[in-house]
Amino acid sequence: MSQFINGKLVEGSTGETVDVIDPSNGTVVDTITLAGSDDVKLAVQAAREAFPAWSRATPAERSAVLTKFAALMEERAEQFAQLESRQAGKPIRLTREFDVPGTIDNIAFFAGAARNLEGKATGEYSADHTSSIRREAIGVIGSISPWNYPLQMAAWKILPAIAAGNTIVLKPAEITPLTSLLFAEVATEAGLPAGVVNVITGRGSTVGAELLRHPDVDMLSFTGSTGVGRTVLDAAATTAKRVHLELGGKAPFVVFDDADLQAAIHGAVAGSLINTGQDCTAATRAIVHRSLYEKFITGVADLYAQVKLGPTDDPTTDLGPLVSETHRDKVAEMVERARGYARVIGGGIPSSEDGDLAAGSYYRPTLVADATPDSEIFRDEVFGPVLAVTPFDTDDEAIELANDTPYGLAASAWTKDVYRALRATREIRSGCVWVNDHIPIISEMPHGGFKESGFGKDMSTYSFDEYTVVKHVMFDLTGVAAKPWHRTIFSREA
């Protein structure tokens, strides 16, 4: 079954099918029937009809469903890990230890957070009135999630929305929809009413476009490229929908001259290769003080050479394939162009001599040294296991280089000096700045970007700001018909 609408798994109406491919070996994991315009309409209608009752459910009732949901996810963790690994080409160690546990933790967090939604305390801010603030659900949320973290990004969209009392129609990437469908199915098994979560699988050009312009969708939430994000903004403008965008990134990794070099080297390897580099927050631009520059390059290159590519079902595998051969070829082409202006260390597509690796869309870890700040490899998203490196001489130059990008999603600063760390975290324009680490995320803290990386927050209680509206309620305290302020309009007595 390829769609989850109104509490049930159903087939898409188009009759057009797409194979979900395991990028580690090219085999078919499943075949889905794509949704069409009629499916979107049914899903939005189901969400609209479910909204009144779900939005009126008490926080305790919504929390109870999410608590049971977390328990069921825990029971089925291995099923989710295996399915996520196969559809997205992720090493099983990553899905078992990061994607699935992180998702379960996120459910548990919002089970508690659902009971902590509140407005400003009631008070007399006007002499003759009492005012209070209500924080209310928006309505039907249309969400589009990406292929790089199919399960986690679906959770980031769904959980704060439904915890706050909204209903949702989620469109996952058509090449990686399987865990999103299973996620909705298990949520319903936990007691989520039919229609609260709907998942439609189809192409962005048809299903995504229909979802964006549907008049009964009250808000749009999108994670993906900056280019598509602009399309979402344009579509939202036609009906003045609220929009939440988490877009691209080109994260700076700033290594100051007093940094723990070994820590920075290990951090760069882990931060650049997470999810095979298919991560908007991945370390992609290493900005290294000239005194440490060559040692940093040597150290990262040495560790890259030790990274094990292998079958995604092997727990000892470090690096999985890219999501598709098409995407792998795009990454390879960018690296090949960089050879004309920088030192390229490592990289390459496995050949037939590498056995089973040749059947998948693998690409070896790649270091691009001496990348100039204006070069393609240093400025544009590669979305692969590629780290570009450039030197700096002064702290001012390092901060300037870190900010010399249209993106602002994540960054890291490596230093032992607390004052230098404070300056970096203050002046680097990113939604998250790590100090002496790169990548860790936690449910209690917000995730979201500045500049062309979008706006709004996922995770944490800050995400409720995206999925709720604030309403002012004012009560008259006088009981008189003719209020003193009425004299500004007319002066007759009541």
Side-chain angles (χ1 to χ4, degrees):
M1 295 297 181
S2 307
Q3 322 295 322
F4 191 86
I5 299 174
N6 204 24
K8 297 178 181 178
L9 285 166
V10 296
E11 289 293 356
S13 63
T14 65
E16 181 186 0
T17 61
V18 167
D19 289 335
V20 178
I21 302 296
D22 183 338
S24 70
N25 53 32
T27 62
V28 176
V29 180
D30 202 349
T31 299
I32 63 167
T33 305
L34 295 178
S37 177
D38 289 342
D39 300 299
V40 177
K41 292 172 182 175
L42 287 173
V44 173
Q45 180 182 352
R48 176 59 64 196
E49 291 175 355
F51 175 69
W54 182 247
S55 64
R56 289 194 296 267
T58 66
E61 290 169 336
R62 293 198 291 266
S63 176
V65 172
L66 291 173
T67 299
K68 185 175 180 181
F69 184 20
L72 289 178
M73 283 287 293
E74 189 76 57
E75 292 175 7
R76 300 176 72 167
E78 182 62 18
Q79 179 185 5
F80 275 95
Q82 293 284 349
L83 190 58
E84 187 79 338
S85 174
R86 294 191 65 204
Q87 72 168 354
K90 293 169 178 277
I92 190 66
R93 194 169 77 231
L94 181 67
T95 59
R96 282 175 177 163
E97 298 181 17
F98 180 74
D99 295 75
V100 175
T103 300
I104 294 170
D105 182 74
N106 219 231
I107 301 170
F109 171 79
F110 280 105
R115 304 188 71 160
N116 287 282
L117 274 166
E118 57 185 25
K120 194 172 184 178
T122 300
E124 283 71 49
Y125 305 100
S126 165
D128 297 330
H129 304 84
T130 288
S131 284
S132 65
I133 296 295
R134 292 179 56 85
R135 187 177 287 275
E136 298 181 353
I138 293 173
V140 176
I141 313 299
S143 291
I144 300 175
S145 58
W147 50 258
N148 58 329
Y149 286 98
L151 177 61
Q152 283 196 308
M153 294 301 174
W156 287 13
K157 300 294 185 193
I158 291 170
L159 294 171
I162 65 173
N166 299 282
T167 56
I168 193 166
V169 179
L170 176 80
K171 191 205 90 65
E174 64 269 21
I175 61 173
T176 55
L178 303 180
T179 48
S180 297
L181 289 164
L182 184 59
F183 188 81
E185 186 180 1
V186 175
T188 301
E189 184 181 338
L192 196 70
V196 174
V197 172
N198 306 273
V199 178
I200 50 174
T201 63
R203 302 191 190 281
S205 58
T206 53
V207 169
E210 176 71 22
L211 188 61
L212 296 181
R213 63 175 176 256
H214 198 295
D216 280 340
V217 173
D218 300 296
M219 173 185 164
L220 300 172
S221 177
F222 171 78
T223 296
S225 71
T226 298
V228 178
R230 294 190 184 99
T231 301
V232 173
L233 278 174
D234 288 343
T238 62
T239 52
K241 300 184 194 300
R242 183 184 287 203
V243 178
H244 168 216
L245 299 176
E246 197 262 84
L247 306 176
K250 191 71 176 174
F253 185 98
V254 184
V255 183
F256 292 97
D257 60 2
D258 68 326
D260 181 328
L261 182 59
Q262 288 306 308
I265 289 169
H266 280 79
V269 172
S272 62
L273 299 186
I274 180 74
N275 205 40
T276 320
Q278 299 169 127
D279 188 315
C280 293
T281 61
T284 55
R285 294 187 298 140
I287 300 165
V288 183
H289 192 272
R290 200 174 299 276
S291 65
L292 301 178
Y293 186 70
E294 290 299 336
K295 291 180 180 178
F296 177 85
I297 289 170
T298 299
V300 171
D302 287 347
L303 283 185
Y304 270 4
Q306 299 174 42
V307 168
K308 180 184 176 182
L309 279 69
T312 51
D313 60 358
D314 183 347
T316 66
T317 291
D318 297 320
L319 195 71
L322 292 163
V323 73
S324 68
E325 290 186 0
T326 299
H327 183 58
R328 179 202 63 193
D329 292 345
K330 172 181 173 289
V331 171
E333 288 166 7
M334 290 186 75
V335 172
E336 287 307 305
R337 288 194 294 270
R339 292 185 189 277
Y341 55 79
R343 279 188 288 160
V344 175
I345 305 168
I349 299 172
S351 67
S352 58
E353 297 178 356
D354 296 301
D356 292 341
L357 292 180
S361 52
Y362 292 91
Y363 193 78
R364 300 188 189 282
T366 310
L367 191 64
V368 181
D370 308 336
T372 58
D374 61 348
S375 63
E376 176 192 46
I377 205 78
F378 200 77
R379 296 195 65 82
D380 297 344
E381 273 198 295
V382 180
F383 229 55
V386 179
L387 177 64
V389 192
T390 201
F392 73 89
D393 294 300
T394 68
D395 287 10
D396 287 346
E397 184 185 1
I399 300 296
E400 183 178 353
L401 285 169
N403 288 329
D404 185 19
T405 173
Y407 300 112
L409 187 58
S412 62
W414 297 76
T415 177
K416 298 174 185 176
D417 186 325
V418 65
Y419 299 106
R420 184 177 264 162
L422 287 170
R423 181 191 177 189
T425 57
R426 182 181 68 246
E427 296 186 13
I428 294 176
R429 297 286 296 162
S430 289
C432 174
V433 181
W434 293 284
V435 177
N436 296 328
D437 209 343
H438 195 105
I439 283 298
I441 55 173
I442 50 177
S443 296
E444 290 84 356
M445 289 291 107
H447 174 85
F450 295 175
K451 301 189 285 186
E452 291 186 22
S453 288
F455 47 81
K457 300 299 180 184
D458 289 310
M459 301 196 299
S460 83
T461 55
Y462 289 96
S463 63
F464 284 139
D465 293 338
E466 313 303 320
Y467 295 101
T468 58
V469 289
V470 171
K471 179 187 289 184
H472 171 213
V473 180
M474 179 177 272
F475 299 90
D476 170 60
L477 295 177
T478 67
V480 300
K483 308 295 193 291
W485 73 269
H486 290 178
R487 290 182 56 81
T488 62
I489 312 301
F490 65 99
S491 59
R492 290 171 298 172
E493 297 293 331

